[in-house]
Amino acid sequence: MPRVDFERDLRQLQDDLLFLGSMVEKAIAKALDALKRRDFSASQEVLEEDNIIDRKRFEIEEKCIDLIATQQPLARDLRILITVLHVAVELERMGDYAEGIAKISLNMGDEAPLKPLIDIPRMGELAAKMLRQSLDAFVNRDIVGAHSVSEADDEVDALYEQVYRELLTFMIEDPSKVKRATYLLWVSHDLERIADRATNIAERVVYLVTGKLVEMKTSKY
Amino acid sequence: MVQSQQESETLEPVAGQSQSDENVLAARNLSVWYGNFRAVRDINLDVKRNSVLALIGPSGCGKSTLLRCFNRMNDLVLNSRVEGQIIYNGTDLYAPSTDSTEVRARVGMVFQKPNPFPKTIFENVAFGLRVNGFKGNLQEAVERSLRQSALWEEVKDRLNSSALELSGGQQQRLCIARALAVEPEVILMDEPCSALDPVATLAIEDLIRQLVAKYTIIIVTHNMQQAARVSHETAFLMVGEDRAGYLVEMDATDKIFTNPSHEQTEAYITGRFS
Amino acid sequence: MATNPSIQEQLNPRLSYRKKLGSVVYFLLLAAVLVGIVSLIVLLARILFEGIPWLSWHFISDYPSRFPERAGLKSALFGTLWIMGLVAAFTIPIGVGAAVYLEEYSPKNWFSNIIEVNISNLAGVPSIVYGLLGLALFVQWMAIGRTVLAGALTLTLLVLPIIILASREAIRGVPDAYRQAGYALGADQWQVVRRIVLPSALPGILTGTILALSRAIGEAAPVIAISALVYLTFVPTDPLDRFTVLPIQIYTWVSRPQDEFRGLAAAGIIVLLVILLSMNAIAIYLRNKYQQRSRE
């Protein structure tokens, strides 16, 4: 009894999750790009597309619950479903951070960014890469890949610290820049959180493969 | 306990077998033969005191045969032969000096289909006490067993009516009470819920979890969820190329059901076994 | 579309033919039953018609006589009761014991197979053969004489196979699950047999035994070989007395030339039938009673 239907549903569910991942990845890139180009309509689109991400996440959750209720999954099947359930939540939260960045961009209005955006897009790229890597590790059941995600998080943390100090200096030197500095601080904070959540996904991959729940690395932030 | 008041007549310690107090039963290189056919091969496992051990595996993997070694019920099968040892509190149950009826008074058994005797409820529970020459207060002992098996309230007013009037679930709890009456240390259960409806099944499972405070229970089950619900440890048996059952792995139940070590266990419990 | 005709189209149910055939078979089977029942009713009616006028208290309490109006069957009735009691006393322990041994104790090998086949064969041996065996074995060789004891022993041989077979059947009917449960509680073999197997098999054993006993008291042939006495004017008082039984008494009356004795024979048959039917009734009653106790 190879459980053909259940196998198909499990595969479909994992495909759905990867699709959600690609949506989130696009949202992050688009939000940063819109911020950089001061493109309000693009930011607006990110806000709207986040609703689709939210719906997709619930869809995945419901499918997981259905399968748990009807198929009594055990062992690897159970771990796959639990992992998908958690990762879907992580991805949806990442989507919310992208939405947050889009909102900041809209709030900034006509004000020019405090400084040219160099480190922040770099953070964004790193975070997006971590997300890709963590999902690749999920697909390939790859513990080594999962660990490299948590190592990349150090880099993001380092960049975040750098951006933070820089913006702090701006604020101390000239209190009138506090508002504009804060906008960027929020953006960089959102990106740092995205990277942390990619690490969470990597932790779930470790659970999926080994059955062990481990905290990979405590982020400084 | 009834037992502790009485010295064993036939159970003698095995020389050189030191067994920690933690384990009440152990199988050592155990093989069972029916004529020329080896039903189980080279089983080694330990059963922790006051725990529930579930034996799972596909049909024909010898889990019932293994179970029936622990109280020497296999002796009743024609041409059956046991190699290796079953160590019970440091004594070998298959030593030539061991009396199988004494073993069975200490290791009780509950069967797949409820099989109360066609006698009254009282006489069913009293049976084991009577055949083993119990000299104490029979009424009290029967009541105690029925209370332990959560049946007392349901039958206290009709102890003298036939056990066969009870529902299937009640009959199975009566069979458990009957096994408990002589206060064995271990209770073997051979698919005790396979003939019961879901409600009666859950009642038996509740009972098993209560009984484990006082007894050690080994249960054979085809129902994976049941094994997951009631047992502390799970042993997975497979059928080999030679059609003999062997132990694939034994581990904590939550480990077996979330992340078993062997691919075969994984395939079996996730229903990918063919 | 050139498709093959569907299976449904190719069916030819011939419903009316099947219905007719069904009712023909039904009536043939019913007729087969009626042949037996009707002839039995005719026989009974004739016996009752001829015998009832001769039934009276003195018919039961008087000894046989040359004069039909004074003749009774006291000696035969008591002979039958004696035989019944002794046969029961001999066959029950031996028959049930043998059945228990064969079902519960004997190892399954060629020896037990031979015993089994022989017991089944013995149940089919004609009763006169047992009579001749009893004559040679008990009456002459063991020199017991033509006594109640010799008759009872002979009939014991006759019905023993039946009781063994019936008891084995009853013991085999006890679910193995009961034995397993007994052993699992630390009972040994004898405790399992005595406390579980025998009580559960009792209704079947009783029924078989009573039916076998009623066969014993209905038999004439072996008793004629043993007793040979057809005219007795005393009741046996111990097992070494001489005796006669109802079937023999009936047989002698039938063979008398006078018509009146045929009436007496019919009356004797009624008495014998009453005894047989009440034994069967007891058997049915006991079976139902114990079955209720064990099945409800």
Side-chain angles (χ1 to χ4, degrees):
Chain A
M1 43 176 186
R3 303 186 79 173
V4 179
D5 286 2
F6 182 44
E7 292 271 18
R8 193 199 54 221
D9 289 346
L10 271 180
R11 270 200 306 277
Q12 180 65 49
L13 191 63
Q14 293 175 72
D15 289 347
D16 285 356
L17 188 75
L18 295 179
F19 181 63
L20 177 63
S22 69
M23 286 165 77
V24 170
E25 196 186 327
K26 271 187 210 134
I28 296 168
K30 196 169 181 177
L32 278 176
D33 186 54
L35 173 73
K36 202 171 178 182
R37 292 193 290 108
R38 314 298 312 122
D39 180 345
F40 297 138
S41 69
S43 295
Q44 197 60 46
E45 275 170 38
V46 171
L47 257 56
E48 280 151 19
E49 278 159 15
D50 189 57
N51 292 330
I52 306 176
I53 290 176
D54 290 353
R55 272 204 303 280
K56 190 74 189 169
R57 170 225 157 159
F58 284 126
E59 201 181 292
I60 290 173
E61 257 190 296
E62 269 166 18
K63 271 190 193 166
C64 281
I65 292 166
D66 269 5
L67 288 178
I68 289 170
T70 57
Q71 298 286 349
Q72 281 94 42
L74 288 171
R76 185 175 301 147
D77 299 337
L78 181 63
R79 300 202 306 275
I80 290 174
L81 285 172
I82 296 298
T83 303
V84 169
L85 208 52
H86 272 109
V87 172
V89 175
E90 299 290 355
L91 289 174
E92 191 265 333
R93 295 294 299 149
M94 289 160 118
D96 288 349
Y97 292 128
E99 190 192 14
I101 293 171
K103 276 183 182 158
I104 291 166
S105 175
L106 290 174
N107 283 342
M108 282 166 72
D110 290 335
E111 277 181 278
L114 183 62
K115 65 179 204 83
L117 295 178
I118 296 161
D119 287 337
I120 285 181
R122 172 100 189 92
M123 273 182 86
E125 272 161 34
L126 270 176
K129 189 177 154 208
M130 283 170 72
L131 169 58
R132 252 191 327 274
Q133 278 180 338
S134 67
L135 290 176
D136 284 349
F138 171 76
V139 171
N140 300 320
R141 314 289 194 246
D142 175 8
I143 304 190
V144 179
H147 279 287
S148 69
V149 171
S150 89
E151 275 150 29
D153 191 44
D154 292 346
E155 227 175 308
V156 175
D157 285 352
L159 273 173
Y160 176 58
E161 190 153 328
Q162 194 180 315
V163 170
Y164 176 74
R165 283 176 197 283
E166 202 179 339
L167 291 173
L168 211 59
T169 321
F170 275 114
M171 291 192 250
I172 291 165
E173 280 172 1
D174 182 356
S176 73
K177 289 177 179 163
V178 165
K179 193 179 173 196
R180 285 153 73 206
T182 309
Y183 282 137
L184 293 186
L185 196 55
W186 282 342
V187 171
S188 61
H189 179 73
D190 280 344
L191 291 173
E192 192 276 328
R193 297 302 304 149
I194 288 174
D196 278 355
R197 290 190 178 266
T199 314
N200 289 352
I201 293 176
E203 283 171 2
R204 289 290 143 183
V205 173
V206 172
Y207 168 73
L208 174 60
V209 178
T210 65
K212 291 190 182 81
L213 291 169
V214 286
E215 180 104 15
M216 287 186 126
K217 201 170 265 183
T218 12
S219 174
K220 204 167 154 192
Y221 301 98
Chain B
M1 300 240 300
V2 176
Q3 229 94 67
S4 51
Q5 295 161 4
Q6 144 206 347
E7 280 295 295
S8 165
E9 287 172 42
T10 68
L11 298 175
E12 287 168 13
V14 184
Q17 261 296 341
S18 62
Q19 196 183 23
S20 71
D21 280 350
E22 197 187 39
N23 297 329
V24 59
L25 274 169
R28 293 283 174 264
N29 301 321
L30 187 81
S31 290
V32 182
W33 297 77
Y34 295 129
N36 289 324
F37 169 62
R38 180 146 65 161
V40 294
R41 120 165 84 87
D42 299 329
I43 305 271
N44 282 291
L45 56 79
D46 296 301
V47 187
K48 290 197 182 74
R49 204 177 293 280
N50 297 100
S51 74
V52 181
L53 167 64
L55 303 180
I56 62 168
S59 298
C61 72
K63 51 194 189 301
S64 283
T65 300
L66 173 61
L67 187 77
R68 283 157 185 262
C69 286
F70 292 117
N71 67 342
R72 291 189 54 171
M73 284 298 274
N74 281 331
D75 292 15
L76 302 175
V77 180
L78 215 59
N79 292 327
S80 70
R81 189 158 51 84
V82 170
E83 284 171 5
Q85 292 178 316
I86 296 277
I87 313 289
Y88 165 74
N89 288 333
T91 68
D92 180 9
L93 292 189
Y94 281 93
S97 62
T98 306
D99 186 309
S100 61
T101 56
E102 188 182 355
V103 172
R104 295 184 195 130
R106 290 167 185 247
V107 182
M109 185 157 195
V110 176
F111 296 82
Q112 188 168 354
K113 271 175 70 182
N115 58 350
F117 301 127
K119 299 171 183 289
T120 64
I121 293 169
F122 184 90
E123 283 304 321
N124 263 279
V125 183
F127 185 90
L129 297 165
R130 288 195 197 277
V131 296
N132 289 298
F134 178 61
K135 292 195 193 67
N137 186 331
L138 206 57
Q139 306 280 342
E140 269 176 25
V142 167
E143 179 177 338
R144 193 165 54 238
S145 308
L146 285 169
R147 281 190 192 282
Q148 277 183 18
S149 68
L151 197 59
W152 175 251
E153 291 302 322
E154 290 162 64
V155 303
K156 64 181 175 191
D157 299 323
R158 47 174 174 149
L159 291 176
N160 288 319
S161 50
S162 168
L164 302 176
E165 287 170 26
L166 299 174
S167 71
Q170 288 174 323
Q171 287 191 7
Q172 195 63 303
R173 274 182 285 149
L174 179 68
C175 291
I176 293 175
R178 183 174 69 182
L180 296 180
V182 290
E183 297 199 343
E185 252 190 293
V186 182
I187 300 164
L188 310 177
M189 298 187 173
D190 191 356
E191 296 185 49
C193 303
S194 63
L196 304 182
D197 65 53
V199 176
T201 298
L202 291 177
I204 300 277
E205 290 178 7
D206 280 344
L207 184 56
I208 290 173
R209 280 192 296 267
Q210 285 164 26
L211 290 176
V212 79
K214 202 170 168 193
Y215 303 91
T216 304
I217 294 168
I218 307 177
I219 178 172
V220 165
T221 177
H222 269 130
N223 180 336
M224 233 88 64
Q225 263 68 36
Q226 176 167 77
R229 283 192 295 262
V230 301
S231 72
H232 301 100
E233 289 192 292
T234 299
F236 172 62
L237 284 82
M238 256 310 272
V239 199
E241 299 274 301
D242 54 352
R243 286 170 51 231
Y246 63 98
L247 181 68
V248 175
E249 67 173 303
M250 174 169 157
D251 213 326
T253 295
D254 50 0
K255 172 82 165 61
I256 292 277
F257 284 100
T258 58
N259 190 24
S261 306
H262 286 252
E263 200 49 50
Q264 283 176 316
T265 318
E266 171 91 33
Y268 180 70
I269 64 171
T270 60
R272 265 44 163 241
F273 172 79
S274 49
Chain C
M1 264 202 315
T3 53
N4 289 329
S6 76
I7 295 287
Q8 280 289 329
E9 281 165 335
Q10 295 179 69
L11 297 178
N12 179 12
R14 296 196 298 168
L15 287 177
S16 65
Y17 167 75
R18 274 152 66 188
K19 205 176 257 177
K20 267 182 217 144
L21 184 66
S23 35
V24 168
V25 169
Y26 172 81
F27 282 110
L28 283 176
L29 296 178
L30 184 65
V33 174
L34 286 179
V35 168
I37 292 183
V38 168
S39 46
L40 184 66
I41 289 174
V42 170
L43 195 68
L44 276 177
R46 210 180 121 80
I47 287 169
L48 289 175
F49 178 74
E50 282 188 19
I52 282 180
W54 291 91
L55 279 180
S56 63
W57 178 246
H58 92 83
F59 181 68
I60 290 179
S61 62
D62 278 1
Y63 293 107
S65 161
R66 279 177 297 132
F67 308 103
E69 58 278 11
R70 274 200 251 149
L73 41 58
K74 183 174 181 184
S75 51
L77 181 62
F78 277 80
T80 288
L81 294 177
W82 263 97
I83 289 284
M84 200 164 80
L86 287 176
V87 170
F90 295 145
T91 52
I92 293 174
I94 299 176
V96 176
V100 167
Y101 173 78
L102 289 173
E103 281 303 313
E104 301 288 325
Y105 287 85
S106 86
K108 299 279 170 280
N109 55 25
W110 59 272
F111 181 69
S112 59
N113 281 341
I114 289 176
I115 292 182
E116 267 174 48
V117 172
N118 275 309
I119 289 175
S120 307
N121 285 341
L122 283 177
V125 171
S127 55
I128 184 65
V129 176
Y130 283 103
L132 297 174
L133 174 71
L135 184 64
L137 185 65
F138 303 122
V139 177
Q140 290 163 2
W141 189 71
M142 292 172 74
I144 297 173
R146 298 176 181 279
T147 59
V148 181
L149 182 62
L153 288 172
T154 305
L155 288 172
T156 297
L157 288 186
L158 174 71
V159 298
L160 202 49
I162 306 173
I163 291 191
I164 294 175
L165 288 177
S167 305
R168 288 188 65 183
E169 208 56 52
I171 290 171
R172 213 175 299 157
V174 177
D176 206 40
Y178 293 167
R179 295 184 186 85
Q180 298 256 333
Y183 287 122
L185 288 163
D188 62 22
Q189 190 162 18
W190 170 236
Q191 287 173 320
V192 168
V193 168
R194 185 170 68 85
R195 291 172 182 268
I196 300 167
V197 175
L198 284 182
S200 307
L202 194 62
I205 292 176
L206 277 180
T207 312
T209 304
I210 292 173
L211 293 181
L213 285 182
S214 58
R215 161 136 193 236
I217 62 167
E219 280 289 347
V223 192
I224 288 176
I226 300 289
S227 146
L229 256 200
V230 292
Y231 184 79
L232 270 188
T233 53
F234 61 88
V235 167
T237 52
D238 73 71
L240 293 176
D241 274 343
R242 309 202 60 178
F243 73 108
T244 187
V245 290
L246 284 172
I248 295 181
Q249 185 66 62
I250 293 164
Y251 173 74
T252 27
W253 278 334
V254 171
S255 48
R256 290 282 183 106
Q258 298 95 321
D259 272 349
E260 291 89 339
F261 281 105
R262 214 156 301 146
L264 280 174
I269 290 173
I270 294 174
V271 172
L272 186 57
L273 276 180
V274 167
I275 295 177
L276 290 178
L277 288 179
S278 22
M279 286 176 70
N280 286 6
I282 292 172
I284 292 170
Y285 169 75
L286 286 175
R287 191 177 55 205
N288 288 348
K289 185 180 159 194
Y290 282 102
Q291 265 173 358
Q292 259 168 22
R293 237 177 59 179
S294 63
R295 293 272 154 75
E296 66 191 13

